[in-house]
């Protein structure tokens, strides 16, 4: 079993920055994908960023150039550095880990960007 614990959400003004963290515990395999999805109010969940293995990254179009995903394999932790935040980035952000054809999700952390 895998557990994911997120931290770092909160309230920030537009143009500001936040850093999300997600620590995984349990049966973690080295070849996995970790990342972040988000769900804005009244909208579907969408990919924010993911990191495959050690270095391959993918980003959603709306966050390219503003958000950076990274991971510390020794700590089984993934980070999301969010810069130049916009009101449209307001959402619940969910961490996930995918391995051996199974996906695990965190409980979600709220990010609110005020104008």
């Amino acid at each position: 079993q895998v557990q994911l614990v997120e931290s770092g959400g909160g309230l920030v003004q537009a143009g500001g920055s936040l850093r999300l963290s997600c620590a995984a515990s349990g049966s973690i395999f080295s070849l996995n994908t970790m990342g972040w999805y988000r769900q804005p109010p009244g909208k579907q969940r969408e990919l924010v960023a993911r990191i495959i293995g050690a270095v391959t990254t993918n980003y959603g179009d709306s966050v390219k150039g503003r958000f950076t995903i990274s991971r510390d394999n020794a700590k089984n932790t993934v980070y999301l550095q969010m810069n130049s935040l916009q009101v449209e980035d307001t959402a619940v952000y969910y961490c996930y880990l995918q391995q051996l054809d199974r996906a695990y999700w965190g409980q979600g952390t709220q990010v609110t960007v005020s104008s």
Side-chain angles (χ1 to χ4, degrees):
Q1 195 59 274
V2 173
Q3 295 80 40
L4 302 173
V5 178
E6 300 135 331
S7 60
L11 174 65
V12 64
Q13 286 191 328
S17 298
L18 281 175
R19 188 191 194 207
L20 304 182
S21 299
C22 173
S25 61
S27 299
I28 309 297
F29 294 90
S30 59
L31 293 177
N32 60 50
T33 296
M34 293 189 74
W36 299 88
Y37 276 72
R38 68 185 182 187
Q39 187 163 17
K43 296 184 179 181
Q44 291 186 333
R45 195 173 293 192
E46 62 183 9
L47 173 69
V48 177
R50 62 185 175 191
I51 183 163
I52 304 167
V55 295
T56 302
T57 58
N58 299 128
Y59 292 92
D61 288 341
S62 62
V63 307
K64 286 180 181 177
R66 300 188 297 123
F67 291 9
T68 302
I69 190 169
S70 61
R71 65 189 296 172
D72 183 336
N73 287 330
K75 297 180 179 179
N76 289 322
T77 299
V78 65
Y79 305 97
L80 184 68
Q81 178 66 42
M82 305 185 293
N83 298 328
S84 302
L85 282 161
Q86 303 167 357
V87 173
E88 295 74 24
D89 295 317
T90 295
V92 178
Y93 284 69
Y94 295 92
C95 173
Y96 84 102
L97 182 150
Q98 184 172 3
Q99 62 181 20
L100 301 179
D101 294 327
R102 288 195 62 179
Y104 303 87
W105 294 89
Q107 79 283 1
T109 185
Q110 177 70 46
V111 171
T112 302
V113 185
S114 63
S115 59

